[in-house]
Amino acid sequence: GTLVQDGKLYWEMAELDRAEDLLNQALKLDPDNEAAVYYLGLVKEARFSRALKRRSLTGKDKIVEVEQAWE
């Protein structure tokens, strides 16, 4: 339980690496721990969201570069 609570706390603080480590430890001790699976899913969603935002920003930067090159 403590590992899951700590993992949740780190997820809330957006410290995704630490959260994932703790939640994976909890799953090793108890593979049926639904809370650990739930929060691990939230960690993965947060990582996906970050990657999507980075990709969007990179795309926008490329568009700006093209616009500037045309000027």
Side-chain angles (χ1 to χ4, degrees):
T2 302
L3 289 170
V4 174
Q5 288 300 316
D6 289 350
K8 176 186 172 194
L9 179 64
Y10 280 105
W11 167 74
E12 290 172 344
M13 295 186 321
E15 296 205 20
L16 302 180
D17 291 335
R18 185 68 179 135
E20 186 173 26
D21 288 342
L22 292 169
L23 294 166
N24 281 325
Q25 287 177 39
L27 282 175
K28 282 182 185 177
L29 295 173
D30 179 10
D32 297 324
N33 189 320
E34 292 181 24
V37 171
Y38 174 77
Y39 285 109
L40 199 51
L42 292 178
V43 168
K44 292 185 186 298
E45 286 179 27
R47 285 187 191 282
F48 177 76
S49 178
R50 280 185 182 177
L52 199 58
K53 287 177 187 175
R54 267 188 254 125
R55 190 172 124 206
S56 177
L57 287 174
T58 301
K60 289 176 183 176
D61 287 342
K62 296 297 180 189
I63 291 171
V64 169
E65 288 176 15
V66 170
E67 289 287 333
Q68 290 173 345
W70 283 349
E71 293 177 354

